[in-house]
């Protein structure tokens, strides 16, 4: 069975992300999972893209048509923005670390991570409700799905604000973290277009339907952005290529920049970062002066 435009793009997605899936495994093994610098979300994103592409290709190859495969593939496609935003959040958080590796501003970044997680949960639950058989759950699912994508947009705006704040504090950023900040700044415009596409696609239809019979009359101006029935050229440019650009930028930064070197010689940052350098009491013992002090021998009149 020949693949249609969605199937071809799904196959291309698999070919694009299998190498980066292997590469992201190497990156995570290099930096570790416990540190939480965002690289694990890059790995999760690559897994989602490969798995989602495989489901869509399988959906077109299997007869009779299995709607569940289409729903699963498109659901993974709609959810892919979340790990990409959380990856960016984690990388920005790593820039706030001190030269001895201690994290700073833990609570605000955890709250932002929670915001991204809530947006993902709303999106998944919304898709699940919309693909159910009852009209009432479909209506609530559409609301939750749109609420989720709005939270994604809010998170992106906050990420831009955090990035701009870091540039105002560039003098206190460690050497290789400065280069990472440049990479994030270059990736943000691509991520903006990808986020915009999610918004337009979500609001282009009142239902999450994988068929061309979905109701789009009330939002006909946005019909071309629909994930299922819209123009595949728009999807290719605003979705696939934008994501791929971000993944390439982050992967190159992870491989080229020796980010762990920022933590190895914390003492060398003492002059440049006096507030971040560890403070130790002087180890040299203090002795009284060995020169005896004698009263003046001159008589006082």
């Amino acid at each position: 069975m020949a693949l249609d435009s969605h199937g071809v793009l799904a196959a291309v997605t698999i070919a694009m992300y299998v190498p980066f899936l292997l590469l992201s495994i190497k990156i995570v093994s290099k930096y570790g999972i416990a540190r939480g610098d965002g690289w694990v979300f890059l790995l999760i994103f690559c897994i989602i893209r490969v798995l989602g592409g495989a489901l869509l290709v399988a959906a077109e190859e299997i007869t009779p048509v299995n709607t569940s495969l289409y729903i699963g593939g498109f659901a993974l496609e709609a959810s892919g923005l979340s790990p990409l935003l959380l990856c960016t959040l984690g990388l920005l958080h790593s820039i706030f670390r001190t030269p001895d590796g201690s994290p700073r501003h833990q609570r605000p970044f955890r709250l932002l991570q929670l915001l991204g997680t809530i947006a993902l949960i709303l999106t998944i639950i919304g898709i699940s409700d919309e693909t159910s058989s009852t009209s009432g759950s479909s209506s609530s699912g559409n609301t939750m799905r749109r609420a989720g994508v709005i939270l994604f947009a809010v998170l992106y705006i906050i990420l831009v604000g955090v990035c701009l704040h870091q540039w105002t504090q560039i003098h206190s950023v460690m050497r290789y973290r400065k280069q990472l900040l440049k990479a994030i700044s270059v990736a943000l415009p691509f991520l903006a277009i990808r986020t915009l596409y999610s918004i337009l696609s979500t609001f282009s239809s009142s239902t999450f339907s994988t068929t061309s019979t979905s109701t789009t009359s009330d939002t006909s101006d946005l019909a071309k952005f629909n994930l299922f029935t819209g123009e595949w050229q728009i999807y290719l440019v605003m979705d696939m290529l934008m994501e791929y650009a971000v993944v390439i930028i982050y992967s190159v930064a992870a491989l080229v920049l020796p980010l762990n070197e920022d933590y190895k010689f914390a003492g060398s940052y003492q002059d440049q970062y006096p507030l971040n350098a560890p403070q130790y009491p002087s180890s040299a013992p203090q002795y009284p002066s060995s020169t005896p002090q004698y009263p003046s021998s001159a008589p006082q009149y």
Side-chain angles (χ1 to χ4, degrees):
M1 180 178 179
L3 299 175
D4 62 10
S5 58
H6 280 294
V8 172
L9 291 178
V12 171
T13 298
I14 297 174
M16 289 167 56
Y17 281 102
V18 165
F20 280 99
L21 174 60
L22 302 176
L23 192 60
S24 60
I25 293 175
K26 179 180 179 181
I27 292 173
V28 171
S29 63
K30 175 181 178 181
Y31 293 105
I33 298 177
R35 190 179 291 278
D37 287 350
W39 303 116
V40 66
F41 289 107
L42 185 64
L43 173 61
I44 293 174
F45 174 78
C46 293
I47 294 174
I48 287 176
R49 282 295 168 258
V50 172
L51 181 58
L55 289 177
L56 291 177
V57 171
E60 297 199 7
E61 291 292 334
I62 294 177
T63 53
V65 175
N66 189 333
T67 308
S68 298
L69 292 177
Y70 280 106
I71 293 174
F74 282 119
L76 288 174
E77 166 60 34
S79 305
L81 181 61
S82 176
L84 212 54
L85 290 173
L86 292 177
C87 174
T88 305
L89 176 66
L91 297 183
L92 284 172
H93 191 196
S94 71
I95 297 176
F96 279 94
R97 290 181 178 272
T98 60
D100 60 355
S102 301
R104 293 187 295 165
H105 310 298
Q106 282 278 71
R107 180 172 296 180
F109 277 94
R110 289 190 182 278
L111 291 176
L112 291 177
Q113 190 176 61
L114 178 62
L115 175 65
T117 305
I118 292 175
L120 176 61
I121 293 174
L122 287 175
T123 301
I124 294 176
I125 295 178
I127 293 174
S128 176
D129 288 347
E130 284 192 272
T131 53
S132 65
S133 58
T134 60
S135 59
S137 61
S138 177
S139 176
S140 62
N142 179 56
T143 302
M144 285 190 288
R145 189 164 57 92
R146 292 184 175 185
V149 77
I150 290 175
L151 290 181
F152 282 142
V154 171
L155 178 58
Y156 173 79
I157 294 173
I158 295 175
L159 291 178
V160 173
V162 173
C163 185
L164 293 176
H165 171 73
Q166 280 289 51
W167 278 110
T168 63
Q169 307 294 322
I170 192 65
H171 62 279
S172 63
V173 177
M174 292 179 287
R175 177 181 178 184
Y176 296 111
R177 290 310 190 274
K178 291 179 181 178
Q179 305 302 318
L180 179 60
L181 182 59
K182 292 179 181 179
I184 296 173
S185 302
V186 172
L188 282 178
F190 298 102
L191 196 54
I193 298 176
R194 174 61 182 90
T195 305
L196 177 62
Y197 178 80
S198 285
I199 297 172
L200 297 176
S201 176
T202 301
F203 283 86
S204 67
S205 174
S206 58
T207 59
F208 189 86
S209 173
T210 60
T211 65
S212 59
T213 59
S214 60
T215 303
T216 59
S217 58
D218 55 335
T219 54
S220 57
D221 292 339
L222 299 178
K224 59 185 177 181
F225 297 102
N226 190 277
L227 180 61
F228 320 110
T229 60
E231 299 178 8
W232 67 266
Q233 297 90 340
I234 294 179
Y235 168 76
L236 172 64
V237 174
M238 296 186 67
D239 187 297
M240 289 181 60
L241 294 182
M242 296 302 104
E243 289 180 346
Y244 204 57
V246 175
V247 171
I248 290 175
I249 292 171
Y250 288 166
S251 299
V252 171
L255 295 176
V256 173
L257 299 177
L259 298 174
N260 286 333
E261 295 294 326
D262 285 336
Y263 301 132
K264 287 186 177 180
F265 306 104
S268 63
Y269 290 94
Q270 186 169 2
D271 295 334
Q272 189 174 359
Y273 311 100
L275 297 179
N276 292 334
Q279 304 297 320
Y280 303 104
S282 176
S283 58
Q286 302 297 321
Y287 299 103
S289 174
S290 58
T291 305
Q293 303 296 325
Y294 300 101
S296 173
S297 58
Q300 304 295 326
Y301 297 99

